[in-house]
Amino acid sequence: MKNDLKYVGKSIPIHDVKEKVSGKLKYAADMQLPGMLHGKLLLSSVAHGRIKKIDVSKAEALEGVVKIFTHENSPNTLYNSHKWFVGMEITKDERLFTDHVKFVGDRIAAVVAKDRFTAERAVNLIEIGYEELSVVVDPEEAINLEDYYIGQKKIESGSVHDVFSKASIIIEDSVETPKIHHAAMETHVCVASPGIHGDVTVWTPCQVVFQVRLIVAEVLGMPLNKVRAIKASMGGSFGGKGQPVLEPVCAFLAKAMNAPVKLQMDRTESIIGTRTRTATRGTIKTAVSEDGTILGRDIHMLVDTGAYYTNGDAVTMAMAKKAFRLYKIKDQRFVGDVVYTNTPIGGACRGYGSPQIHVLSEINMDNVARRLGMDPAELRLRNLVHPFDKDPINGPDLGNARAIDCVTEGMKVFDWKQKRLRPKTSGRIVRGVGMACATHGNGYHGGYQDFITMSLRMTEDGGVFLNSGIHDLGCGTVMTMKQIVAEVLDVEIDKILAPEGDTLVSPFDVAGTQASRVTFVCGSCAMKVAEQVKEKFIGCASKILQCSPEEVVMEAGEVWSSTSETVKYSYGKMITDIQSKFQDDISVSYTYTSPANPGVYAANFVEVEVDTLTGLVKVLDVLAVHDIGKAINPGFVEGQVQGAIQMGIGFALSEEIKVDRNGKISGDKFSKYHVINAPSMPDVKVLLIEEGEEHGPFGAKSIGEISTCAIAPAIVNAINAALDINITSLPVTPEKIIKALHEK
């Protein structure tokens, strides 16, 4: 790994910072197309039922209403919005509009009107008659019902039965995690416009433009090349816009009306009608020796995928695999049961199952330490994986896994031992510290196909054009790619053009922004294609400079021979000479297939303050330590961690989409769904472990998802340590704390 880097390792602002701070950046919601109509969805108000009557007469009579669509006049094609490549086998149970509603928020109809206000008024005039059916919201009930039970996933290494039959110390916990909302500033929105050749263009703040193209084509029965998906500027996703929710509906409306259509959700609609973090109920048993060595572990997860299948199986398997890649456990079993419920749909949400499995395992690890009378950090150090360990279930190798470094360095910087051993206060306000570890991945290698194609061209004015299907979700993807290319070619950042995904002109990327693959996989492709362009450029330049390729020097936009430094060419002048003399272009298209999927690791240390009278918790201090390989842009990395800590605190303490036994949702707006605001944020310190990773660009690994995986269990552990209780149900609300104190 190079140490004398010029662009990589520098905190350079995001590529569109000026447009954002000046308010000039246009989002999909800002788009105005000639003749554009406005769509508004009607979502179900009951959790389970069949529609017996839809009376749209009053809505149709409203001036400005153009047309109303229901299941009666729209495609009946079954699809699964989780499908992201052709040939993927998956259960299909979604429709554009349904006559069998399965949760409060299910899509029933769409009004198309000349303006948004009229569309909203018209939706409220549609009269629906339901035959209400029995409602199942409890996954424990669903697992015993044939229509609700999806299936089981199981992974085992060694012999768990033998270990537990002989073990003398077994610690068991049951842990519950809720459905949560992604809470991106931008709600769900989409714009679609029909073309004159039977095609349709979709502008969307999505995570995978080629997935949007696939789903729209599949639902509308169109050839792929008749669907163009363009990544719009995005106001946040965190996985919430990872599956096409509005895009197939909006594309259908535009095609049916032969006019551009904008379809936009308000906050309540985004909370109940899009995707949530998958809720879980887990049990875990850990067998240990007296010295704290983990002998075996048995995990069962009950996964509530909500009303539709989407990624229920996939997120369960993601949880399973993470359970085997953090600690050295020879004998371990994971069993996951997946069920439907009449509740909002589960989907991708920052960490893709990792936050849930780590809440389960890391709360349990603290209880193991408590049972043994050990320091929780020391217990983890005894069992954490080592660099270059093998995956016990034959997955991809763990790579340069620096989990131990995260804990040892974090303990020193946080002053863990001194804080943990200070005397407990006995007054109303008490303090406690906690910590937790986590792991995540770097793409799909070892599970799904994972490749991307990029094209890179050096232009006649000394610029560089990187053409790819990248998506910037607000985290700096575009600038990260530019920094990598700039480092290879030694060209100024501002001279690099790197547009986002557009299925008409972008080379194919099979997976887009998923699975924490962007820096590790897409960044590696950018590095490889830049290296190939550099090699071609040097080969041609050496002939013009009349020297060997080894004697060609490229630096700061100029090229020359080391044997004759008096003659220097600008990159642009050399390009035009190459074109003139050789009739060749300095451009390369390259398809990169990820060869590895190493682990990334984190340790979070927190200090909390608890009011034992009210049960209110204040997070005072956070240290987030991350094994990142190499930070391409440290400023972006710290920003990712800061945001992830905010999400994780909410997951631990306050966020929950509440569903009562009748399927009614109470946490459907920000007045009742409580995110952590700026005044409640603690001081967050970030410590990076940069020991490199073989297959990452300049040694880099991922940060976006791992950064939110350890903070929630660390907070719960700190609360439990401070109060000497054992709360294992998230969120840890004041009511739960007071109840636990009374029971104690």
Side-chain angles (χ1 to χ4, degrees):
M1 185 172 63
K2 288 175 61 179
N3 293 317
D4 55 337
L5 300 175
K6 188 174 181 180
Y7 298 101
V8 167
K10 306 299 188 293
S11 295
I12 303 172
I14 197 167
H15 71 288
D16 53 3
V17 61
K18 293 180 181 178
E19 291 80 5
K20 283 179 175 174
V21 299
S22 64
K24 294 179 180 178
L25 188 67
K26 299 299 181 184
Y27 296 88
D30 300 316
M31 289 183 63
Q32 297 293 331
L33 300 177
M36 187 169 72
L37 302 173
H38 294 260
K40 180 69 175 179
L41 293 177
L42 173 63
L43 303 182
S44 172
S45 60
V46 303
H48 193 201
R50 296 192 182 278
I51 296 175
K52 293 301 183 182
K53 181 191 72 171
I54 300 182
D55 186 350
V56 299
S57 58
K58 293 180 182 178
E60 287 180 327
L62 189 65
E63 184 178 355
V65 171
V66 181
K67 196 169 180 65
I68 298 174
F69 293 93
T70 69
H71 70 277
E72 295 175 342
N73 58 350
S74 62
N76 196 37
T77 307
L78 287 173
Y79 67 98
N80 188 321
S81 54
H82 174 60
K83 181 177 179 179
W84 44 272
F85 61 87
V86 175
M88 183 177 182
E89 296 296 329
I90 192 167
T91 298
K92 298 178 180 181
D93 59 359
E94 301 174 54
R95 290 184 173 90
L96 291 185
F97 306 108
T98 185
D99 62 343
H100 179 188
V101 298
K102 298 179 181 179
F103 71 106
V104 172
D106 216 345
R107 289 193 303 269
I108 295 175
V111 172
V112 181
K114 292 184 178 179
D115 61 80
R116 186 179 178 185
F117 176 71
T118 300
E120 290 172 346
R121 287 184 59 201
V123 161
N124 293 325
L125 296 176
I126 298 176
E127 298 176 358
I128 307 293
Y130 298 98
E131 175 196 351
E132 294 200 37
L133 303 173
S134 60
V135 175
V136 177
V137 300
D138 186 347
E140 299 282 0
E141 179 184 353
I143 198 172
N144 297 311
L145 299 174
E146 182 179 352
D147 290 342
Y148 286 83
Y149 183 63
I150 292 174
Q152 186 178 90
K153 297 293 181 182
K154 182 178 180 180
I155 300 178
E156 184 170 0
S157 64
S159 178
V160 173
H161 178 269
D162 290 347
V163 168
F164 278 90
S165 66
K166 300 173 184 176
S168 59
I169 304 175
I170 299 173
I171 295 86
E172 182 173 356
D173 285 295
S174 296
V175 177
E176 184 175 2
T177 68
K179 291 179 181 287
I180 71 164
H181 173 54
H182 304 78
M185 286 190 289
E186 176 191 42
T187 58
H188 282 66
V189 60
C190 182
V191 175
S193 181
I196 61 174
H197 301 295
D199 55 316
V200 64
T201 300
V202 180
W203 290 267
T204 167
C206 68
Q207 292 185 209
V208 194
V209 287
F210 288 99
Q211 180 184 21
V212 170
R213 182 183 71 164
L214 174 61
I215 296 297
V216 169
E218 190 173 283
V219 173
L220 302 187
M222 299 174 64
L224 289 172
N225 287 340
K226 289 289 186 178
V227 179
R228 180 182 184 184
I230 301 173
K231 162 66 171 59
S233 296
M234 179 180 279
S237 174
F238 315 113
K241 298 177 181 121
Q243 295 178 359
V245 176
L246 295 186
E247 292 88 344
V249 180
C250 193
F252 163 69
L253 298 177
K255 288 276 289 179
M257 302 307 304
N258 196 31
V261 173
K262 181 188 294 183
L263 186 59
Q264 187 171 357
M265 286 179 147
D266 61 24
R267 180 59 60 184
T268 292
E269 291 166 334
S270 280
I271 290 176
I272 69 173
T274 60
R275 300 292 180 265
T276 71
R277 187 189 295 288
T278 306
T280 65
R281 293 185 186 178
T283 59
I284 181 170
K285 294 191 295 183
T286 303
V288 293
S289 63
E290 291 285 355
D291 67 357
T293 301
I294 299 176
L295 304 175
R297 196 162 68 173
D298 200 2
I299 296 173
H300 178 263
M301 292 292 277
L302 179 54
V303 179
D304 176 4
T305 194
Y308 290 94
Y309 193 94
T310 59
N311 66 333
D313 274 1
V315 77
T316 304
M317 287 302 294
M319 294 180 202
K321 292 176 181 178
K322 304 305 182 297
F324 290 82
R325 291 169 67 89
L326 182 58
Y327 297 108
K328 296 172 74 74
I329 307 174
K330 178 184 175 184
D331 301 285
Q332 183 169 202
R333 175 171 57 197
F334 175 98
V335 177
D337 286 300
V338 188
V339 297
Y340 291 115
T341 57
N342 297 120
T343 64
I345 308 168
C349 184
R350 199 174 193 171
Y352 208 87
S354 288
Q356 296 98 310
I357 194 66
H358 287 112
V359 166
L360 178 71
S361 64
E362 291 302 286
I363 290 176
N364 177 250
M365 283 294 285
D366 258 42
N367 287 330
V368 171
R370 188 186 305 192
R371 166 66 175 78
L372 297 174
M374 288 186 67
D375 181 323
E378 295 291 349
L379 173 67
R380 287 169 171 83
L381 287 174
R382 180 175 291 275
N383 293 283
L384 284 166
V385 296
H386 290 73
F388 309 107
D389 276 352
K390 300 293 184 181
D391 185 294
I393 55 174
N394 298 317
D397 291 350
L398 304 186
N400 193 8
R402 294 287 171 170
I404 292 174
D405 298 48
C406 289
V407 175
T408 54
E409 294 302 310
M411 289 173 70
K412 288 186 285 188
V413 173
F414 189 75
D415 198 11
W416 167 259
K417 287 188 176 292
Q418 182 175 340
K419 287 181 178 178
R420 183 175 174 273
L421 295 176
R422 72 187 169 207
K424 287 187 177 181
T425 57
S426 57
R428 171 179 168 180
I429 306 298
V430 299
R431 288 189 176 188
V433 294
M435 60 88 60
C437 297
T439 184
H440 201 67
N442 286 269
Y444 279 124
H445 175 77
Y448 295 100
Q449 49 186 296
D450 197 355
F451 64 91
I452 179 174
T453 300
M454 290 185 174
S455 297
L456 188 68
R457 180 176 184 268
M458 296 181 71
T459 62
E460 296 83 348
D461 60 352
V464 176
F465 174 39
L466 177 68
N467 190 16
S468 70
I470 57 174
H471 305 68
D472 200 312
L473 310 189
C475 54
T477 295
V478 169
M479 182 55 72
T480 298
M481 299 302 123
K482 285 186 175 185
Q483 287 178 256
I484 292 169
V485 171
E487 193 66 56
V488 174
L489 298 178
D490 202 349
V491 62
E492 294 178 13
I493 293 282
D494 290 343
K495 290 188 175 181
I496 301 173
L497 173 64
E500 297 184 63
D502 177 342
T503 59
L504 181 65
V505 297
S506 299
F508 185 66
D509 179 5
V510 71
T513 300
Q514 299 184 81
S516 290
R517 68 185 289 270
V518 174
T519 297
F520 189 74
V521 180
C522 304
S524 291
C525 186
M527 184 173 179
K528 296 289 186 184
V529 74
E531 288 171 346
Q532 292 185 15
V533 163
K534 181 178 182 178
E535 182 180 2
K536 184 175 182 180
F537 180 68
I538 287 175
C540 292
S542 67
K543 297 175 183 176
I544 292 174
L545 295 169
Q546 296 183 334
C547 65
S548 69
E550 293 73 23
E551 294 172 326
V552 174
V553 180
M554 293 176 65
E555 186 177 315
E558 291 187 315
V559 57
W560 65 90
S561 169
S562 60
T563 61
S564 179
E565 296 189 20
T566 57
V567 180
K568 293 187 177 181
Y569 288 71
S570 68
Y571 285 179
K573 178 64 169 64
M574 181 59 74
I575 290 292
T576 57
D577 280 8
I578 290 170
Q579 291 175 346
S580 175
K581 292 178 187 273
F582 306 124
Q583 298 190 56
D584 199 359
D585 187 37
I586 303 302
S587 62
V588 171
S589 288
Y590 176 69
T591 299
Y592 177 81
T593 301
S594 181
N597 188 351
V600 281
Y601 295 88
N604 283 183
F605 297 81
V606 303
E607 182 172 13
V608 302
E609 184 178 85
V610 186
D611 186 330
T612 59
L613 180 65
T614 64
L616 291 171
V617 176
K618 184 177 183 180
V619 181
L620 302 174
D621 193 19
V622 174
L623 172 65
V625 192
H626 284 277
D627 161 34
I628 194 171
K630 173 66 180 178
I632 301 295
N633 187 312
F636 291 166
V637 172
E638 185 167 347
Q640 286 280 286
V641 176
Q642 293 274 354
I645 297 301
Q646 183 270 348
M647 291 187 74
I649 296 173
F651 185 42
L653 298 179
S654 61
E655 294 189 40
E656 181 179 13
I657 299 174
K658 296 181 180 179
V659 184
D660 69 17
R661 65 180 183 176
N662 297 314
K664 301 296 183 182
I665 301 170
S666 58
D668 61 353
K669 51 182 68 71
F670 279 160
S671 60
K672 297 180 179 179
Y673 183 93
H674 303 300
V675 298
I676 300 300
N677 296 317
S680 299
M681 279 295 290
D683 180 26
V684 179
K685 301 180 183 67
V686 180
L687 176 62
L688 302 182
I689 307 297
E690 297 183 274
E691 295 294 330
E693 185 63 52
E694 178 185 2
H695 296 289
F698 297 98
K701 295 193 282 190
S702 65
I703 189 66
E705 292 184 275
I706 181 68
S707 54
T708 199
C709 295
I711 181 62
I715 291 170
V716 176
N717 288 339
I719 294 170
N720 286 336
L723 302 176
D724 193 25
I725 57 177
N726 187 29
I727 292 179
T728 60
S729 173
L730 272 60
V732 183
T733 60
E735 293 82 1
K736 291 178 183 177
I737 289 175
I738 296 301
K739 182 175 183 290
L741 288 173
H742 285 167
E743 290 175 349
K744 174 186 169 184

